Amino acid sequence: MKYFLQEIAEDGQKLNKNGKVRRDFEAVLKSMGFVEVAIPQAPSVNLGAYRNIRDNFEFFREGDVLIVQLPLTTSAAILRRLFKSLSRRGVRTFLVVRDLDIILEGNKSYWKHCEGVIVQNEKTAMELIKQKVDVDKIIPLDLTDYLIPDSISGSCGEYGLKEPVIISGKLTREEAGYIYRLPDNCRFRLYGQKYEGQIDDHILAGGSYDPDDLPFMLKGSFGLVWDGPTPMTCLGIAGEKMKISDPYQLSLYLASGLPVIVWSESAIADFVIQKGCGFTVSSLVEIGYRIKSMSEKTYKNMRRNAEDIGIPLRDGCYIRVAMNKILK
């Protein structure tokens, strides 16, 4: 049998850290015949909590497959003990790493008792290899799927070279300081909540929408994938994560058929260049000049390439490929 893990809060509600990314993954698993196994969250380490969780796996048999998306709110110590117990019984446990802090902090004990680790891409995989994780255990997704069930065409929103550059996601000063220092040689349209700055002819409000509806509300030229406090480069921990991750925004934009602008040192820079689905910059100041000098023909080619890449993303293709590697 094939299962995936779901945490349940005290009020009976499902816990969905990472939101749509996690829900999309579960939706694809269900379509492939995986069955949900619910456990009560247990953030504190105690024997009673472990036994309570362990009881949910009494019916597991040798050869069964369990998919676990990390992070969870349940104590890491309890999870490690659970994975060890399942491994001894011949259950094949696979971890899907959503939070890169788990990898960057070198939490090696997570990988010891699992059969495989599913990560975002080859560069994320290299971080695990540096930690002496067996290369045969690591399964890169390459791209993160973004399901858009109601999409019937290559593009979901309204796109054009003359439109503003789209920024979607974190908008507060604390989480995305660069937004409050955007260059004035280009217009930007913001999608999300809690923007603390001024809305004017330079920075426009796009609104806040449910992730399933957002692709159909986008209106712009390119989708920007950037992070950190400054528009000059991606600094600090945000920059370190960009060097090994496939950001959520990338999946949103490409699944929506929107070409992208990404940091030249990011893990996704080579992909964007090779696939011709956008362009890279080392600083946001470059964007205005690049767009101003771009021809309509070049833009249409980038948009067409983005649409082609988006088709498998909208259907969960990359998740299915990874699962088929596990199940073969």
Side-chain angles (χ1 to χ4, degrees):
M1 288 290 291
K2 303 174 293 186
Y3 304 93
F4 67 90
L5 195 64
Q6 173 64 257
E7 280 186 313
I8 302 295
E10 291 182 4
D11 60 3
Q13 296 296 311
K14 294 181 180 180
L15 297 175
N16 272 311
K17 192 173 177 64
N18 298 112
K20 179 172 171 57
V21 176
R22 186 183 291 266
R23 293 196 305 271
D24 283 353
F25 201 97
E26 292 175 353
V28 176
L29 292 182
K30 288 179 181 178
S31 73
M32 298 181 71
F34 283 78
V35 178
E36 176 184 302
V37 176
I39 64 169
Q41 65 177 140
S44 300
V45 181
N46 64 76
L47 186 58
Y50 170 69
R51 287 173 174 169
N52 195 20
I53 289 175
R54 183 192 60 189
D55 289 345
N56 290 275
F57 297 89
E58 287 300 315
F59 60 90
F60 273 52
R61 297 291 181 266
E62 182 177 355
D64 284 349
V65 173
L66 175 66
I67 305 296
V68 181
Q69 296 193 73
L70 299 176
L72 296 171
T73 63
T74 295
S75 160
I78 289 179
L79 290 175
R80 289 193 294 268
R81 188 170 179 180
L82 174 65
F83 299 156
K84 183 176 181 179
S85 172
L86 292 173
S87 176
R88 286 176 171 173
R89 292 163 53 190
V91 176
R92 305 173 64 212
T93 301
F94 294 85
L95 308 182
V96 184
V97 183
R98 298 288 178 209
D99 187 348
L100 293 179
D101 288 337
I102 295 174
I103 294 177
L104 293 174
E105 291 168 0
N107 206 334
K108 300 178 184 179
S109 57
Y110 267 124
W111 331 125
K112 186 175 181 181
H113 300 293
C114 69
E115 185 166 325
V117 185
I118 300 169
V119 296
Q120 292 184 8
N121 56 43
E122 294 288 351
K123 293 191 176 181
T124 318
M126 287 303 299
E127 290 298 315
L128 285 180
I129 293 172
K130 290 177 186 177
Q131 298 175 28
K132 310 300 182 183
V133 177
D134 187 345
V135 66
D136 292 332
K137 273 191 173 185
I138 306 171
I139 305 166
L141 277 173
D142 295 328
L143 284 178
T144 301
D145 295 290
Y146 191 108
L147 302 189
I148 309 179
D150 297 327
S151 176
I152 57 175
S153 65
S155 295
C156 297
E158 298 180 31
Y159 313 139
L161 184 58
K162 305 298 184 183
E163 292 288 339
V165 172
I166 290 173
I167 298 175
S168 176
K170 301 176 292 187
L171 300 182
T172 65
R173 291 183 187 275
E174 181 180 5
E175 295 178 297
Y178 75 92
I179 292 177
Y180 299 86
R181 302 170 59 189
L182 291 169
D184 58 10
N185 64 347
C186 179
R187 293 187 301 150
F188 297 87
R189 180 171 282 126
L190 310 182
Y191 290 85
Q193 298 178 339
K194 301 181 180 179
Y195 176 62
E196 303 162 18
Q198 296 293 318
I199 296 297
D200 50 32
D201 293 338
H202 170 226
I203 298 179
L204 298 85
S208 177
Y209 303 94
D210 183 275
D212 290 325
D213 298 327
L214 180 57
F216 303 99
M217 308 308 297
L218 297 177
K219 185 177 181 181
S221 55
F222 291 89
L224 176 63
V225 183
W226 199 266
D227 203 358
T230 171
M232 303 311 295
T233 189
C234 295
L235 289 175
I237 188 64
E240 291 304 308
K241 288 182 178 181
M242 290 281 283
K243 289 178 181 178
I244 64 171
S245 69
D246 293 334
Y248 172 79
Q249 293 99 323
L250 177 75
S251 298
L252 162 66
Y253 300 143
L254 292 179
S256 304
L258 178 69
V260 296
I261 303 169
V262 306
W263 184 36
S264 58
E265 296 183 45
S266 65
I268 56 177
D270 290 343
F271 173 86
V272 170
I273 293 172
Q274 292 168 4
K275 298 297 185 180
C277 58
F279 62 90
T280 69
V281 294
S282 58
S283 164
L284 298 188
V285 176
E286 301 172 30
I287 295 177
Y289 301 109
R290 292 289 298 273
I291 292 179
K292 186 176 181 180
S293 63
M294 186 175 295
S295 68
E296 285 287 349
K297 180 179 180 181
T298 297
Y299 178 73
K300 287 179 180 178
N301 284 336
M302 288 182 176
R303 180 174 166 181
R304 187 179 304 113
N305 291 336
E307 291 174 352
D308 290 342
I309 295 168
I311 292 172
L313 286 175
R314 295 196 296 268
D315 189 47
C317 176
Y318 290 93
I319 299 172
R320 296 178 198 280
V321 169
M323 291 302 103
N324 285 331
K325 289 179 180 178
I326 289 172
L327 299 173
K328 67 179 181 181

